[in-house]
Amino acid sequence: MNDSFSLFNLIDTSPLEILSFALAIAMVLLNIRQSPWAWLFAITSAGLYAIVFCEAKIYGDMALQFVFVAISVWGWYQWLFGGSNRQGVTVSRLNARAWAMVALTWALAYAIVATILRTLTDTDVPHIDAFLTAGSLVAQYLLTRKMLENWHLWIIIDLLYIGLYLHKNLYLTAVLYGLFAILAFVGLLAWKKSLTAKEPIA
């Protein structure tokens, strides 16, 4: 499943990467629609991408996929049964204090992951891998809570991931993250509309 071949004589990929690609696209589309089924696709896609990233020696991203599986299970529960009324969380915004916590958590997670990658693995991209791994964890947590700002973070993270995957010759995954960035912008607009619809008219 992970044997490389040329897709349309344009890019090298593997059946496993293609399947992971398709599931990930479906996941984001369902996230935009605020469908709890998005988490099932997230779990499956993350498990498959862990194998792809292990082969590419992007160990931060590989480990991140296992964390994504755990977070996705929790996110699925939150979207179905979270919130004060136990009918699922709704779209909301971060305040200034929460933004500060986001930045601090990202910085601390980056420092920890970068240290682990530098000392325990043979990766040649420890810092960018750690930075994006940490940011992805933060963004994924915000997504489980339906915080609007998760889309802002994903746009930045997805654009930076394109460069990393091109460097690692994961061309199909680079294309995927380009699509992710576009879909994150679409998600931002859709969730903003959803949030505005709930706000009382002054």
Side-chain angles (χ1 to χ4, degrees), residues 56-58 122-126 128-129 160-171 173-174:
K57 296 185 178 181
I58 310 177
D122 60 349
T123 181
D124 62 334
V125 287
I128 187 62
D129 192 6
L160 291 175
Y161 262 129
I162 294 171
L164 175 60
Y165 294 138
L166 288 175
H167 172 70
K168 285 295 185 176
N169 299 321
L170 293 172
Y171 300 113
T173 302

Side-chain angles (χ1 to χ4, degrees), residues 69-80:
V69 169
I71 293 177
S72 295
V73 172
W74 186 69
W76 202 348
Y77 175 84
Q78 289 298 314
W79 281 30
L80 288 172

Side-chain angles (χ1 to χ4, degrees), residues 147-180:
M147 293 295 180
L148 178 71
E149 291 79 6
N150 89 87
W151 296 114
H152 293 104
L153 297 191
W154 281 125
I155 291 170
I156 296 169
I157 292 165
D158 292 339
L159 290 173
L160 291 175
Y161 262 129
I162 294 171
L164 175 60
Y165 294 138
L166 288 175
H167 172 70
K168 285 295 185 176
N169 299 321
L170 293 172
Y171 300 113
L172 186 61
T173 302
V175 171
L176 172 64
Y177 275 73
L179 293 174
F180 275 172

Side-chain angles (χ1 to χ4, degrees), residues 42-84:
I43 291 167
T44 308
S45 177
L48 295 178
Y49 259 121
I51 301 172
V52 174
F53 293 145
C54 180
E55 291 290 325
K57 296 185 178 181
I58 310 177
Y59 301 118
D61 268 353
M62 180 194 71
L64 180 62
Q65 303 312 305
F66 295 110
V67 178
F68 274 172
V69 169
I71 293 177
S72 295
V73 172
W74 186 69
W76 202 348
Y77 175 84
Q78 289 298 314
W79 281 30
L80 288 172
F81 307 112
S84 57

Side-chain angles (χ1 to χ4, degrees), residues 39 71 74 79 89 92 94 98-99 102 135-154 191:
W39 297 108
I71 293 177
W74 186 69
W79 281 30
V89 292
S92 57
L94 294 175
W99 265 118
V102 165
S136 296
L137 288 172
V138 173
Q140 190 75 352
Y141 173 77
L142 295 182
L143 178 62
T144 67
R145 303 301 300 162
K146 281 194 180 178
M147 293 295 180
L148 178 71
E149 291 79 6
N150 89 87
W151 296 114
H152 293 104
L153 297 191
W154 281 125
W191 281 30

